[in-house]
Amino acid sequence: MLNLAIDMGNSRIKVGFFEGGALVRESIFSELSEVGEAVKDQLVQHVIVSSVRKTPEKLSAVVPITGKQILFSTQTPVPLQNAYATPSTLGVDRLAAAVGAQYLFPERTCLVIDAGTCITYDVVEAEGIYQGGSISPGINMRYQAMHTFTGKLPLLSGTELPPRTGKTTEEAMKSGVLYGVIAEVEGMIQHYERQYKSLTVVLCGGDAPFFESTVKARIFVIPELVLIGLNRILEYNV
């Protein structure tokens, strides 16, 4: 029997199939109905869903399951001590990633960097205590902000590094965004390395490959970190 972890973001749905605690398959979909079609012939026992969208109260009507269904929220019990001052406002994806990091790197203090629409930095101490972290704009959000809040700057995208000293407006914008965000990530890592004698840096999110190739620090890149955390939470509750 399989466990199913579903991470529903704004633009895509990531699905992980787990057996015996191990991720055996991962898929990406656009709509929940596609997930139901993909798993209809699978022996799915338990399912957990983390979502920023509206999900059906009875997920079993869409995804056939035989066991427990968990719609993950900040009220769901997790195998971490949550020291966040306002847990009801904490993004469930941040919490799931923190659980995933603690599961993969037990008894080690982890800095979890999720490089997506926003870039989040979250600290899980070696004792299993989630402390919180930081949220900043992601790469595309920085491009969008410069275009939106100025009269003439174009809307750019992409992560190909330009000359650091841009000779055109587009090069200058890309230099500011990309070298700026690299400096931010490296600065955050250096800050926490000073705070914690031994620090494990774990990176996930859509822009993780860019930072893996540009940031000068030892980083573990684990794209499926949120799914791993969700499955760990599911196992903890069943």
Side-chain angles (χ1 to χ4, degrees), residues 6-238:
I6 303 176
D7 178 20
M8 297 181 64
N10 288 304
S11 59
R12 63 180 185 170
I13 302 172
K14 295 180 70 175
V15 176
F17 297 84
F18 290 83
E19 186 173 17
L23 178 64
V24 295
R25 191 165 81 255
E26 180 182 355
S27 301
I28 297 176
F29 303 95
S30 298
E31 299 296 335
L32 191 58
S33 59
E34 298 173 358
V35 179
E37 184 66 23
V39 305
K40 66 179 182 180
D41 296 324
Q42 303 291 324
L43 294 176
V44 176
Q45 184 174 23
H46 306 298
V47 62
I48 184 169
V49 182
S50 170
S51 178
V52 298
R53 312 184 192 182
K54 184 178 180 180
T55 57
E57 292 185 4
K58 290 294 182 181
L59 187 68
S60 55
V62 181
V63 179
I65 58 174
T66 61
K68 191 164 185 176
Q69 167 188 315
I70 297 176
L71 298 179
F72 181 46
S73 72
T74 53
Q75 284 72 51
T76 305
V78 297
L80 282 178
Q81 180 182 338
N82 190 348
Y84 208 61
T86 56
S88 63
T89 69
L90 177 61
V92 288
D93 52 345
R94 293 174 63 192
L95 187 55
V99 170
Q102 196 270 339
Y103 171 70
L104 294 174
F105 303 97
E107 300 181 1
R108 295 167 68 175
T109 295
C110 293
L111 173 63
V112 182
I113 305 175
D114 191 338
T117 303
C118 288
I119 303 174
T120 58
Y121 306 85
D122 290 288
V123 177
V124 185
E125 293 183 336
E127 298 79 13
I129 304 172
Y130 171 75
Q131 292 290 359
S134 308
I135 305 173
S136 73
I139 291 173
N140 284 330
M141 191 180 292
R142 296 175 196 225
Y143 285 133
Q144 181 71 54
M146 286 196 290
H147 172 68
T148 300
F149 295 106
T150 63
K152 294 184 178 180
L153 292 180
L155 178 59
L156 303 180
S157 62
T159 55
E160 183 177 348
L161 287 174
R164 189 175 290 269
T165 303
K167 298 294 187 180
T168 68
T169 297
E170 290 192 4
E171 284 185 352
M173 291 173 66
K174 286 192 172 185
S175 176
V177 168
L178 298 177
Y179 290 111
V181 78
I182 291 169
E184 175 189 302
V185 171
E186 290 180 339
M188 283 289 193
I189 293 172
Q190 290 166 7
H191 167 81
Y192 285 110
E193 284 178 336
R194 290 191 295 269
Q195 184 173 347
Y196 296 100
K197 186 175 181 180
S198 179
L199 183 73
T200 298
V201 181
V202 187
L203 183 64
C204 63
D207 286 329
F210 169 73
F211 292 108
E212 181 182 19
S213 64
T214 56
V215 169
K216 296 177 181 178
R218 189 184 181 206
I219 295 173
F220 292 93
V221 179
I222 306 176
E224 62 278 6
L225 184 65
V226 172
L227 292 177
I228 291 171
L230 287 174
N231 185 65
R232 176 70 186 98
I233 294 163
L234 178 60
E235 290 181 332
Y236 184 73
N237 282 275
V238 299

